[in-house]
Amino acid sequence: MSDISCLYVRLPNWVGDVCMSLPSLRALQGTGLPLVICARPWARDLLDGVAKLDFIPMRGKAGPDRAAVSAHRRSLGAMGRRARGLLLPDSLSSALVFRLAGLPSAGYRDDGRSFLLRWPIAKPDDALHAVQSWHYLTREALIRWGLPPGPSQPGPTLDLPLTEAHQNAADQALGAAGLHAHRFVLIAPTATGLHKGKIKVWPGFDTLTRALQSRGHTVVMCPPPAETDEALRNAPTAQLLPPLSLGAFAALTAQAALVICNDSGVSHVAAAASARELALFGVTRPGRTGPWSPRAVCVGSEQAWPSVEDVLQQATTLLNGTV
């Protein structure tokens, strides 16, 4: 019988990666042990519906993050002393935080950090989807700890639990925009960061938006404040909704007739909410980072963006309910 009393899990730093970690969280919950989630502050709202003992915000600074984890362990007394840690990020800094907090941890042996891990685990085939890779790591850690590892493969859906507050906030935004009883297409014409120096934003959102509008579709977008100007440049005729929290935005995607987005955080939030989705690829691999959902369709490839005509045809097919 394991003497482990509590599990701490450090989640990745990006919105999409946190969504793709949901099957790993369910595997940890399946042990029946209390779960403490350590993640960036914005993840608190997104994961509000996930059953857990506590949430510790990680600021990305080793000293303060170590202090936060240490203080939390002390507050749990004997339970904190018999805890274990799981690191989903590959970074040296995440392993250092748990090590300095005295938390024996498991994680992938990347970034020269094996000496910081009690249970360093070799990465499997790089061809695995990110969801599968993190799920594999989680199971391997649970096996080493003598805990039930759960199913060998993640299920086909991410199943983000949305709260009543998330649903209400999305409903209020739609009501204020006069859209509550309307079918609408939700686009996300932005994507943060670069991939190997290449822009991750499909260049055809303006043309696509106008084409959909000419066919009678209402097209809306709901970017975060930092991306509003870019969204307006990329799709100036789309109806702009006020920014929402991540959980409320997830609920909004679930109400859309179709979500059209880049390979970005929005793609994974929509997949987590089981939204009907069309994901556009041009610089990243669908097999590695595509939306983990049977309701998502991917177009494009790592080598080339899809044409506006191809995207419009696929979007029309999905909106007509023939796929």
Side-chain angles (χ1 to χ4, degrees):
M1 178 70 70
S2 171
D3 66 347
I4 300 173
S5 59
C6 182
L7 299 176
Y8 287 72
V9 58
R10 175 62 160 97
L11 296 186
N13 293 329
W14 297 96
V15 172
D17 292 349
V18 168
C19 292
M20 291 190 286
S21 302
L22 286 165
S24 296
L25 291 180
R26 278 195 296 279
L28 295 173
Q29 291 169 331
T31 66
L33 293 174
L35 180 62
V36 179
I37 294 176
C38 305
R40 289 302 177 94
W42 48 258
R44 185 192 295 270
D45 175 78
L46 182 67
L47 302 177
D48 192 38
V50 174
K52 54 190 172 297
L53 175 66
D54 212 342
F55 181 98
I56 305 177
M58 297 282 99
R59 310 289 176 175
K61 304 286 187 180
D65 287 350
R66 189 278 307 165
V69 175
S70 295
H72 191 274
R73 290 187 67 206
R74 288 195 300 271
S75 74
L76 296 181
M79 179 188 293
R81 290 192 294 273
R82 294 186 289 114
R84 296 290 183 270
L86 175 64
L87 299 155
L88 296 191
D90 293 347
S91 64
L92 182 68
S93 59
S94 62
L96 183 63
V97 166
F98 275 17
R99 176 64 179 267
L100 292 176
L103 186 60
S105 300
Y108 280 136
R109 56 169 78 244
D110 277 16
D111 207 8
R113 64 182 194 160
S114 293
F115 71 101
L116 296 172
L117 302 171
R118 177 78 62 85
W119 299 276
I121 297 169
K123 270 194 171 181
D125 187 347
D126 188 51
L128 287 181
H129 192 282
V131 171
Q132 295 171 308
S133 179
W134 283 319
H135 187 263
Y136 172 87
L137 171 63
T138 302
R139 292 190 78 251
E140 288 297 307
L142 293 176
I143 290 169
R144 283 159 173 76
W145 295 336
L147 296 171
S152 61
Q153 291 293 326
T157 55
L158 297 177
D159 299 324
L160 174 68
L162 296 172
T163 67
E164 184 177 356
H166 293 153
Q167 302 283 7
N168 289 341
D171 288 343
Q172 289 171 9
L174 290 172
L179 295 170
H180 201 277
H182 290 248
R183 273 170 52 93
F184 63 93
V185 176
L186 177 65
I187 64 169
T190 63
T192 58
L194 302 174
H195 180 75
K196 297 181 179 179
K198 296 180 180 179
I199 296 173
K200 295 171 59 178
V201 178
W202 181 61
F205 275 104
D206 183 21
T207 305
L208 175 70
T209 297
R210 296 174 191 271
L212 289 171
Q213 290 168 331
S214 71
R215 289 162 170 75
H217 298 290
T218 299
V219 181
V220 306
M221 57 186 179
C222 184
E227 298 175 28
T228 297
D229 290 344
E230 182 189 359
L232 289 170
R233 288 193 299 270
N234 293 344
T237 65
Q239 183 174 348
L240 181 67
L241 299 183
L244 295 172
S245 73
L246 279 170
F249 181 78
L252 180 69
T253 69
Q255 296 199 42
L258 180 65
V259 178
I260 305 176
C261 55
N262 305 289
D263 177 29
S264 64
V266 171
S267 172
H268 302 294
V269 171
S274 296
R276 168 63 78 190
E277 174 183 351
L278 181 58
L280 313 178
F281 286 78
V283 299
T284 50
R285 283 184 291 160
R288 171 66 180 167
T289 61
W292 190 265
S293 168
R295 303 197 72 216
V297 173
C298 300
V299 291
S301 70
E302 188 177 9
Q303 287 76 38
W305 291 107
S307 67
V308 172
E309 291 74 18
D310 287 344
V311 174
L312 179 60
Q313 180 180 20
Q314 186 65 68
T316 300
T317 299
L318 292 170
L319 288 166
N320 288 339
T322 55
V323 171

